[in-house]
Amino acid sequence: MSSKHMLVLPWVLLLQITALACCTITLVGVSYADVLTAALVFTLLAAALLILPFRRGGKVMKIVSVIHALPTIYVVLEFLRRVPHVF
Protein backbone atom coordinates (compact mmCIF):
# COMPACT_ATOMS: atom_id res chain seq x y z
CA MET A 1 0.00 0.00 0.00
CA SER A 2 1.52 3.26 -1.13
CA SER A 3 1.86 6.09 1.36
CA LYS A 4 0.98 8.59 -1.40
CA HIS A 5 -2.45 7.02 -1.72
CA MET A 6 -2.98 7.14 2.03
CA LEU A 7 -2.43 10.93 2.10
CA VAL A 8 -5.69 11.57 0.30
CA LEU A 9 -7.86 9.65 2.79
CA PRO A 10 -8.03 12.34 5.52
CA TRP A 11 -9.17 14.88 2.92
CA VAL A 12 -11.77 12.47 1.60
CA LEU A 13 -13.03 11.84 5.12
CA LEU A 14 -13.26 15.57 5.84
CA LEU A 15 -15.15 16.21 2.58
CA GLN A 16 -17.54 13.31 3.17
CA ILE A 17 -18.30 14.39 6.75
CA THR A 18 -18.96 17.94 5.55
CA ALA A 19 -21.20 16.64 2.76
CA LEU A 20 -23.16 14.47 5.18
CA ALA A 21 -23.54 17.39 7.58
CA CYS A 22 -24.80 19.66 4.80
CA CYS A 23 -27.15 16.98 3.56
CA THR A 24 -28.76 16.22 6.92
CA ILE A 25 -28.92 19.71 8.39
CA THR A 26 -32.31 21.19 9.18
CA LEU A 27 -32.84 24.80 8.20
CA VAL A 28 -35.83 26.88 9.23
CA GLY A 29 -37.02 29.55 6.86
CA VAL A 30 -33.97 29.29 4.60
CA SER A 31 -33.60 27.67 1.21
CA TYR A 32 -31.81 24.35 1.03
CA ALA A 33 -30.46 25.08 -2.46
CA ASP A 34 -27.03 26.32 -1.38
CA VAL A 35 -26.61 23.68 1.31
CA LEU A 36 -27.63 20.81 -0.97
CA THR A 37 -25.41 22.08 -3.76
CA ALA A 38 -22.48 22.29 -1.35
CA ALA A 39 -23.16 18.74 -0.14
CA LEU A 40 -23.20 17.44 -3.70
CA VAL A 41 -20.00 19.30 -4.61
CA PHE A 42 -18.16 18.05 -1.51
CA THR A 43 -19.17 14.43 -2.05
CA LEU A 44 -18.32 14.48 -5.75
CA LEU A 45 -14.94 16.03 -4.98
CA ALA A 46 -14.30 13.32 -2.39
CA ALA A 47 -15.25 10.64 -4.93
CA ALA A 48 -12.93 12.21 -7.49
CA LEU A 49 -10.06 12.15 -5.00
CA LEU A 50 -10.62 8.42 -4.52
CA ILE A 51 -10.21 7.56 -8.19
CA LEU A 52 -6.41 7.47 -8.15
CA PRO A 53 -6.04 5.31 -5.01
CA PHE A 54 -8.69 2.96 -6.36
CA ARG A 55 -7.02 2.56 -9.74
CA ARG A 56 -3.39 2.40 -8.64
CA GLY A 57 -3.66 0.92 -5.16
CA GLY A 58 -3.58 -2.71 -4.19
CA LYS A 59 -6.49 -4.85 -3.12
CA VAL A 60 -6.64 -3.35 0.38
CA MET A 61 -6.58 0.19 -1.00
CA LYS A 62 -9.45 -0.62 -3.36
CA ILE A 63 -11.54 -1.88 -0.44
CA VAL A 64 -10.68 1.20 1.64
CA SER A 65 -11.58 3.47 -1.30
CA VAL A 66 -14.96 1.79 -1.77
CA ILE A 67 -15.74 2.08 1.95
CA HIS A 68 -14.81 5.78 1.92
CA ALA A 69 -17.01 6.33 -1.15
CA LEU A 70 -20.17 4.82 0.39
CA PRO A 71 -21.49 8.13 1.82
CA THR A 72 -21.59 9.42 -1.77
CA ILE A 73 -24.56 7.16 -2.45
CA TYR A 74 -26.53 8.60 0.46
CA VAL A 75 -25.71 12.23 -0.39
CA VAL A 76 -26.63 11.82 -4.07
CA LEU A 77 -29.90 10.03 -3.23
CA GLU A 78 -30.79 12.68 -0.66
CA PHE A 79 -29.99 15.40 -3.20
CA LEU A 80 -32.24 13.75 -5.79
CA ARG A 81 -35.03 13.35 -3.23
CA ARG A 82 -34.96 17.01 -2.23
CA VAL A 83 -34.32 18.60 -5.64
CA PRO A 84 -37.98 18.85 -6.73
CA HIS A 85 -38.89 20.67 -3.52
CA VAL A 86 -35.91 23.03 -3.40
CA PHE A 87 -35.03 24.13 -6.93
Side-chain angles (χ1 to χ4, degrees):
M1 193 177 326
S2 174
S3 62
K4 287 185 211 176
H5 300 309
M6 293 298 286
L7 292 175
V8 75
L9 294 180
W11 294 105
V12 169
L13 189 60
L14 178 67
L15 287 168
Q16 290 290 24
I17 289 172
T18 306
L20 287 170
C22 288
C23 193
T24 57
I25 194 168
T26 301
L27 300 174
V28 177
V30 181
S31 174
Y32 277 103
D34 294 336
V35 177
L36 284 178
T37 304
L40 188 65
V41 167
F42 289 145
T43 197
L44 292 177
L45 183 59
L49 286 174
L50 286 172
I51 290 173
L52 190 62
F54 183 80
R55 291 189 65 194
R56 295 193 180 167
K59 188 175 185 178
V60 173
M61 198 63 206
K62 289 182 193 278
I63 293 170
V64 170
S65 296
V66 168
I67 290 170
H68 275 79
L70 288 176
T72 302
I73 297 169
Y74 174 77
V75 172
V76 170
L77 289 176
E78 188 69 15
F79 181 82
L80 292 174
R81 184 181 71 86
R82 292 187 183 194
V83 161
H85 308 292
V86 173
F87 293 98

